[in-house]
Amino acid sequence: MKEETAIFAGGCFWCMVHPFDQQPGIISVISGYIGGHVPNPTYEQVCTETTGHTEAVKITYDADVISYKELVEIYWMVADPTDATGQFQDRGDSYRPVIYYANDEQKEIAEASKKQLAESGEFDDPIVTQILPAKEFYVAEDYHQDFYKKNPERYQMEEMGGRAAFLQKHQK
């Protein structure tokens, strides 16, 4: 097994777990915070939009089963790459779309994929998803983990805020 990690921010982390969790080769998908300047932030702190963090998912996967490139392609189907100020009903800096890379190879794959998406004509608006180096990832509180499993009704409500329709339109 070739264990690696990928970190993606694309709106509410509750809604980012399920699309990756369902893929073969996924070992775990953890909700958390990344990219800010406050150590060990709480959900309440991140919600104030003053810590600089995004809500994100850290995916641990078996690279012999699923590649980083495949994960990036899934990411483009679940996070609106044209909305820099949030995702769907989730507004604010902590919900901005970001691909956090762990090394130069991930950076190159993400940038090439972003360029390909921009040139594809799939979106009328510019692709604004940032590609940034991964910093310290802070695991979110327990009640945020596996939210779609623990709170299926609330999860469905969140999905109806626009992500479900986006998914349907952009799934390949």
Side-chain angles (χ1 to χ4, degrees):
M1 181 180 348
K2 187 177 174 192
E3 196 172 296
E4 294 187 18
T5 60
I7 301 174
F8 302 122
C12 174
F13 47 33
W14 293 346
C15 298
M16 289 290 293
V17 174
H18 183 262
F20 293 102
D21 204 27
Q22 302 302 302
Q23 303 301 318
I26 299 301
I27 298 163
S28 68
V29 183
I30 305 294
S31 296
Y33 317 107
I34 188 170
H37 52 82
V38 174
N40 296 307
T42 64
Y43 180 67
E44 288 72 23
Q45 287 175 309
V46 173
C47 285
T48 66
E49 301 287 333
T50 60
T51 68
H53 292 89
T54 57
E55 288 191 14
V57 289
K58 183 176 186 177
I59 302 160
T60 303
Y61 63 98
D62 180 350
D64 289 334
V65 177
I66 189 167
S67 70
Y68 183 76
K69 184 178 188 296
E70 290 171 300
L71 292 173
V72 171
E73 288 169 7
I74 294 165
Y75 174 78
W76 296 129
M77 290 186 271
V78 301
D80 183 350
T82 67
D83 189 350
T85 60
Q87 292 289 291
F88 314 106
Q89 79 274 20
D90 301 315
R91 309 315 307 157
D93 198 47
S94 62
Y95 297 120
R96 69 190 183 277
V98 185
I99 295 173
Y100 291 97
Y101 61 86
N103 53 45
D104 289 341
E105 182 185 8
Q106 284 188 354
K107 180 182 180 184
E108 288 171 21
I109 290 167
E111 287 178 347
S113 182
K114 180 179 175 178
K115 183 176 187 277
Q116 184 179 4
L117 183 65
E119 292 170 353
S120 74
E122 185 171 341
F123 295 94
D124 296 331
D125 295 322
I127 306 302
V128 296
T129 299
Q130 295 175 293
I131 298 172
L132 301 172
K135 295 182 178 176
E136 184 80 27
F137 181 88
Y138 299 100
V139 176
E141 296 81 352
D142 283 347
Y143 69 95
H144 292 299
Q145 306 304 328
D146 291 322
F147 189 85
Y148 79 96
K149 293 177 185 173
K150 295 176 188 172
N151 299 283
E153 296 84 13
R154 175 77 190 274
Y155 170 74
Q156 276 188 325
M157 224 170 59
E158 292 292 327
E159 283 287 279
M160 289 189 299
R163 192 181 302 263
F166 182 88
L167 262 165
Q168 214 166 21
K169 183 178 179 183
H170 296 284
Q171 272 184 327
K172 298 190 180 355

